[in-house]
Amino acid sequence: MSAQPNLVALATIARREVVRILRIWTQTLIPPAITMTLYFLIFGGLIGSRVGRMGGMDYMQFIVPGLVMMSVIQNSYGNISSSFFGAKFGRHVEELLVSPMPNWVILTGYVAGAVLRGLMVGAIVLCIAMLFTRVHVPHPLVTVSAVLLGATIFSLAGFINAIYAKKFDDVAIVPTFILTPLTYLGGVFYSISLLPAWAQAATHANPIFYMVNAFRYGLLGQSDVPLAVAFALMLGFVAALSTLALWLLNRGVGLRS
């Protein structure tokens, strides 16, 4: 296929994902907004007033980047894992596989839709945060780059999960037992400086910790890790997960077997 048909195919898959997100907006956009509002009320308002300052700033401000990134990660992952597994379950993924479009177009289309949902939810949560505290963006390029890379990483991870999943329960295992614990232990609600040495070392093995801190630097100008290290790690994850996802598609793992 030439470039033009590939672009048309890519736009078609991405548009279908966007239509799906907007068609069921009461399931894709409203629930995370309600959940994050509760986080701001309970953790930021009630508990935060007793915590005081964290990392040299108001506690409500401190948790904003973490909660935004948490919503982006969860929704990017959940969108693509449920959508692609639904295509497998409904057996219309076979129409994509037998079409002349290359596998990278299929992967990019699904990832684009998931990233867009993550960005939409992240924007909603950021608007909600502005109702509770002042939000400044001293480093807009860092902010956008961090959220895009974070959404892409977990979109790719969700795609891989959907490839291996054989039933709907398999789609929920990773978010429940891996993604949620890593998110809560990724510095969303606390600074790593509060932890003992062994816990700090363990936190540095958590990839979400680097994503949250890169985004926090973009919004607040503060990070517990060097920015270069955080972006190098995120770019490495994008490259590794993209390679793995394409390899699985090319081999037909979970699709043709």
Side-chain angles (χ1 to χ4, degrees):
M1 294 178 69
S2 62
Q4 183 63 29
N6 284 340
L7 291 176
V8 172
L10 174 60
T12 301
I13 296 175
R15 184 171 64 249
R16 185 186 64 189
E17 288 298 293
V18 172
V19 170
R20 172 182 172 271
I21 294 168
L22 297 178
R23 186 178 67 247
I24 54 173
W25 61 274
T26 55
Q27 301 175 41
T28 57
L29 301 179
I30 299 301
I34 295 174
T35 300
M36 291 303 154
T37 300
L38 293 175
Y39 274 116
F40 283 121
L41 286 172
I42 296 172
F43 287 93
L46 300 178
I47 298 178
S49 61
R50 290 164 174 77
V51 172
R53 300 181 69 80
M54 178 75 67
M57 66 190 69
D58 183 74
Y59 186 70
M60 179 72 82
Q61 284 184 312
F62 180 85
I63 66 174
V64 167
L67 290 179
V68 173
M69 184 58 79
M70 182 168 72
S71 65
V72 169
I73 288 172
Q74 291 176 343
N75 284 275
S76 297
Y77 190 99
N79 187 84
I80 197 168
S81 59
S82 62
S83 178
F84 191 74
F85 180 75
K88 282 177 53 179
F89 185 79
R91 304 196 66 84
H92 57 266
V93 71
E94 297 170 358
E95 299 175 5
L96 296 177
L97 297 175
V98 300
S99 70
M101 76 176 75
N103 286 331
W104 69 263
V105 171
I106 299 174
L107 175 63
T108 306
Y110 273 98
V111 168
V115 169
L116 182 59
R117 176 178 167 184
L119 295 179
M120 291 168 66
V121 173
I124 292 172
V125 174
L126 191 60
C127 291
I128 293 172
M130 293 178 182
L131 301 176
F132 295 91
T133 186
R134 297 180 63 184
V135 177
H136 302 284
V137 187
H139 307 285
L141 183 60
V142 174
T143 301
V144 174
S145 300
V147 75
L148 280 175
L149 286 173
T152 301
I153 288 170
F154 283 93
S155 297
L156 290 166
F159 188 86
I160 294 170
N161 182 194
I163 285 179
Y164 279 110
K166 296 182 179 179
K167 54 184 183 295
F168 282 101
D169 289 342
D170 294 338
V171 175
I173 288 176
V174 174
T176 302
F177 295 103
I178 298 178
L179 189 56
T180 299
L182 287 178
T183 302
Y184 280 99
L185 297 175
V188 173
F189 298 103
Y190 56 85
S191 172
I192 192 176
S193 61
L194 300 176
L195 302 177
W198 67 267
Q200 291 188 28
T203 302
H204 277 92
N206 183 351
I208 295 180
F209 168 70
Y210 295 89
M211 301 174 197
V212 169
N213 274 275
F215 191 61
R216 180 171 287 134
Y217 181 86
L219 281 185
L220 305 176
Q222 177 179 318
S223 174
D224 288 331
V225 295
L227 196 61
V229 174
F231 274 97
L233 186 72
M234 288 190 287
L235 289 170
F237 267 103
V238 169
L241 292 175
S242 299
T243 302
L244 177 58
L246 279 175
W247 182 81
L248 292 173
L249 272 179
N250 292 333
R251 293 292 299 272
V253 176
L255 302 173
R256 299 188 180 99
S257 57

